[in-house]
Amino acid sequence: MNVSEVKSSEIKNLDILAKQVVEGFITGMHKSPFHGFSVEFSEHKLYNKGESTRHIDWKLFAKTEKLYTKKYEEETNLRCHIIIDNSASMHYPIVKKQTLDNLNKVGFSAIAAASLMEILKRQRDAVGLSIYSDTYEYYAPEKGSERHRKMLLHQLEQVMVSESKAATDTYKYLHEIAEKIHRRSLIFVFTDMFQPNKENDSLFEALKHLKFNKHEVVLFHTYDGKTEFNFNFDNSPKKFVDVETGEEINIYAENVREKYKEIVGDYFKELKSKCLQYKIDYVPVDIHKGYNEILTAFLISRKKNK
């Protein structure tokens, strides 16, 4: 099933949706030039002639016309911690009823996180979760049990249906989270990198702190490409309100669009450069472009951690 075909009513069941996202991705990878890669991170291996046919996945054969057997042996134990920014800016754009093709940034991040957790479950890996805004809202250490995963899914569902007017100091909570994660882990951060009160250097230092204890860090810089990058608004006079500070400005979009895109583009380049300097994987993620980039980043990061 193509991910875009999932019914909007299923958006509330993250477990089902995450399975469909991952299955679609795995099937696509089996058909792609990354074929060998996908076998490494999925729960399948190529069938070898002479092996028992008992564990052949016939459903996957119907999709790929290739024989794979299900793997049951333990994989290397990976520890993963997912961090989600739940500040007011992450609840942009305003969406009354979120569906898979109409999400705000935090809704997109929650589905992406649930999909990563689905892969981690298949690999029998441990996963933890941190959620922050203007407080450290939620923390769960890395565990691999099904009960633990269900608890994290519930937290992600709550984030999707919640509202937030909170400003955030991302740098502050990244430092706190870094202090909690002692054992070497793969860390995924979902944030739009907006913060009202500190210079960028403070944010970069916090990201650098996450690299302590030899953690592998992937920053998913989550944004709405249509409006936050391309400033795609019609040219009628509009009042723009900062959702975290309440500051207002009245402008014609066309008058500032080129300068705006130049400034935002420079910021993206600065983020990428700093992450490269600190050996952090920087993945800009437009919420309108689906989950393949996120799951591919997981696949590559997992390979590094083997």
Side-chain angles (χ1 to χ4, degrees):
M1 176 183 287
N2 189 296
V3 173
S4 63
E5 295 171 359
V6 178
K7 294 179 181 178
S8 61
S9 60
E10 294 175 346
I11 199 78
K12 294 179 182 178
N13 192 327
L14 278 186
D15 200 8
I16 291 174
L17 186 56
K19 284 182 172 69
Q20 292 173 334
V21 169
V22 171
E23 288 295 339
F25 179 70
I26 290 174
T27 300
M29 292 294 281
H30 278 310
K31 292 178 178 178
S32 78
F34 293 96
H35 166 77
F37 244 168
S38 64
V39 173
E40 260 190 287
F41 90 92
S42 77
E43 61 175 351
H44 298 86
K45 69 181 182 69
L46 275 171
Y47 171 76
N48 294 313
K49 190 177 290 188
E51 288 182 339
S52 170
T53 59
R54 179 181 171 191
H55 298 306
I56 287 177
D57 188 332
W58 295 108
K59 288 183 179 179
L60 189 57
F61 173 74
K63 295 176 182 177
T64 65
E65 297 184 354
K66 294 181 180 179
L67 293 173
Y68 295 92
T69 56
K70 293 183 178 180
K71 292 168 64 177
Y72 292 97
E73 64 271 19
E74 290 283 332
E75 295 288 337
T76 55
N77 290 327
L78 178 72
R79 300 173 63 84
C80 180
H81 199 89
I82 299 171
I83 303 170
I84 294 182
D85 176 355
N86 190 34
S87 61
S89 63
M90 286 290 285
H91 287 255
Y92 177 87
I94 297 171
V95 179
K96 290 183 179 179
K97 182 181 179 182
Q98 295 201 70
T99 62
L100 196 62
D101 57 358
N102 188 26
L103 293 163
N104 59 26
K105 289 181 285 186
V106 82
F108 179 92
S109 300
I111 294 173
S115 300
L116 291 170
M117 286 163 52
E118 172 64 19
I119 299 178
L120 290 161
K121 179 189 77 170
R122 297 177 183 213
Q123 299 299 313
R124 299 175 176 85
D125 291 329
V127 60
L129 178 66
S130 287
I131 301 170
Y132 70 90
S133 57
D134 57 350
T135 62
Y136 197 160
E137 295 179 3
Y138 182 78
Y139 167 76
E142 300 79 24
K143 295 182 181 179
S145 71
E146 181 62 11
R147 181 180 178 183
H148 180 76
R149 190 181 72 90
K150 293 288 188 183
M151 182 179 70
L152 301 191
L153 285 170
H154 175 72
Q155 290 295 325
L156 293 175
E157 288 173 345
Q158 292 304 303
V159 165
M160 287 193 71
V161 300
S162 67
E163 295 182 0
S164 175
K165 295 183 179 180
T168 188
D169 291 320
T170 291
Y171 77 97
K172 176 181 177 181
Y173 297 107
L174 290 186
H175 280 303
E176 285 193 30
I177 294 165
E179 292 294 333
K180 283 182 174 288
I181 306 172
H182 300 293
R183 294 178 60 185
R184 185 169 178 259
S185 301
L186 174 57
I187 300 175
F188 292 120
V189 185
F190 290 89
T191 176
D192 55 13
M193 297 296 285
F194 291 146
Q195 57 171 23
N197 301 321
K198 281 283 183 178
E199 296 297 325
N200 290 341
D201 286 347
S202 298
L203 191 52
F204 296 143
E205 283 302 310
L207 287 171
K208 185 178 179 181
H209 191 179
L210 286 175
K211 287 292 292 183
F212 280 16
N213 296 326
K214 299 182 179 179
H215 299 313
E216 182 77 21
V217 180
V218 182
L219 172 63
F220 291 121
H221 180 199
T222 311
Y223 65 97
D224 181 336
K226 293 178 181 178
T227 56
E228 291 183 321
F229 188 83
N230 291 317
F231 211 60
N232 189 14
F233 297 96
D234 63 63
N235 201 37
S236 58
K238 282 185 170 53
K239 178 189 288 184
F240 292 87
V241 182
D242 188 309
V243 294
E244 295 197 7
T245 66
E247 293 182 48
E248 300 178 0
I249 186 171
N250 295 297
I251 54 173
Y252 286 86
E254 191 174 287
N255 294 347
V256 300
R257 183 176 293 120
E258 290 307 312
K259 185 63 177 178
Y260 172 90
K261 289 174 67 175
E262 179 184 337
I263 293 171
V264 171
D266 287 344
Y267 180 52
F268 276 43
K269 289 176 184 175
E270 183 182 15
L271 279 176
K272 184 177 180 179
S273 175
K274 285 291 185 180
C275 286
L276 184 64
Q277 179 183 341
Y278 298 148
K279 296 182 180 178
I280 292 170
D281 291 335
Y282 173 70
V283 184
V285 180
D286 184 344
I287 63 173
H288 299 291
K289 292 187 176 179
Y291 299 95
N292 280 3
E293 279 186 288
I294 289 167
L295 298 181
T296 300
F298 168 85
L299 180 155
I300 293 169
S301 297
R302 181 179 175 83
K303 189 174 180 67
K304 288 180 184 177
N305 278 268
K306 279 195 171 184

